[in-house]
Amino acid sequence: MNIFSYDRVGPGHDRTDLSEPRPAEPGEWPEFEAALAVVNRDVTATLPGQDALILMVAPSWQSLPASGIDRGLVHVAMPDGRWQGNAVNAVDLEEGDLPEPDDALTALTLVAEAAQETVMELLWQVWPVCREHKIGVHVRPAGTADDWCGGEADASDPVVWWCRGSRDDTGHDVSLVGELAAALPGKERRALRRSERKRDRGR
């Protein structure tokens, strides 16, 4: 067994076997955890009855970083641990690189894209959907034009769900990521608030 398949060894820490996928520990990936909390607001708003997505960590099977510890590949997963698509973290790090983004908007973009792929592939449905045009939306910086290409936005631009519109329309921002509830029709917004109050009372 590879001795580097364990992490958090020391006083107060049990050995954690990283040779199999596992749920991320609280505080292990703070930027991704914060981003996923935002994305899960959209899951709750648009997928009634769907439990929150989680972060799963799988072995990278790549060369170990200079620290000698394989922190693994971080995926956005269904509550049962299944996921689809690429990891959100960087694994093959150069010396001094960070394993996760140091800005919240980049982390949110990565996590929202990963969540969308997992939901669509494992639930077999388009998600999220623009209520006006009845088509799937995509993650983009706010205010981008139809011909936008990745990497052209300012790092401070908020992250939105963007719809390309109908054939005759130009694209438009649907909502900030995490704020899809505000884009719901009134009846659905009220039902969501009722279910949230009921859930809060049950805690």
Side-chain angles (χ1 to χ4, degrees), residues 3-203:
I3 63 170
F4 298 119
S5 64
Y6 292 96
D7 192 6
R8 300 184 183 279
V9 177
H13 293 294
D14 295 328
R15 286 177 176 256
T16 303
D17 188 356
L18 298 185
S19 61
E20 297 292 335
R22 61 179 175 82
E25 297 177 19
E28 185 178 3
W29 297 94
E31 290 287 352
F32 292 141
E33 287 175 36
L36 186 56
V38 172
V39 173
N40 270 327
R41 295 201 304 255
D42 288 342
V43 171
T44 299
T46 58
L47 297 172
Q50 174 62 50
D51 290 333
L53 304 178
I54 64 172
L55 296 178
M56 287 291 288
V57 183
S60 68
W61 308 117
Q62 295 186 17
S63 58
L64 290 168
S67 67
I69 297 174
D70 179 1
R71 295 195 69 194
L73 297 167
V74 181
H75 296 272
V76 178
M78 302 298 285
D80 62 7
R82 296 175 301 137
W83 71 82
Q84 174 68 34
N86 296 325
V88 293
N89 63 316
V91 176
D92 193 12
L93 302 174
E94 300 292 332
E95 187 172 346
D97 285 352
L98 298 172
E100 63 179 340
D102 60 356
D103 69 281
L105 294 178
T106 299
L108 183 57
T109 299
L110 292 169
V111 168
E113 289 173 342
Q116 182 177 42
E117 186 165 3
T118 287
V119 167
M120 289 178 63
E121 292 295 328
L122 297 183
L123 295 185
W124 288 43
Q125 67 181 76
V126 176
W127 181 83
V129 172
C130 171
R131 296 302 175 120
E132 179 184 351
H133 294 106
K134 308 295 188 279
I135 59 174
V137 297
H138 304 280
V139 180
R140 279 193 180 192
T144 52
D146 287 2
D147 60 355
W148 174 81
C149 293
E152 293 180 355
D154 188 282
S156 63
D157 290 338
V159 182
V160 300
W161 295 111
W162 183 87
C163 171
R164 66 175 172 79
S166 66
R167 291 184 180 178
D168 299 328
D169 290 340
T170 57
H172 65 101
D173 297 349
V174 174
S175 81
L176 294 172
V177 172
E179 301 298 331
L180 275 176
L184 295 174
K187 184 177 179 181
E188 291 183 38
R189 270 200 318 275
R190 290 190 294 275
L192 176 63
R193 285 196 295 268
R194 283 195 300 273
S195 67
E196 288 173 344
R197 286 195 296 270
K198 185 176 179 181
R199 189 172 59 247
D200 290 343
R201 284 195 299 269
R203 288 177 181 170

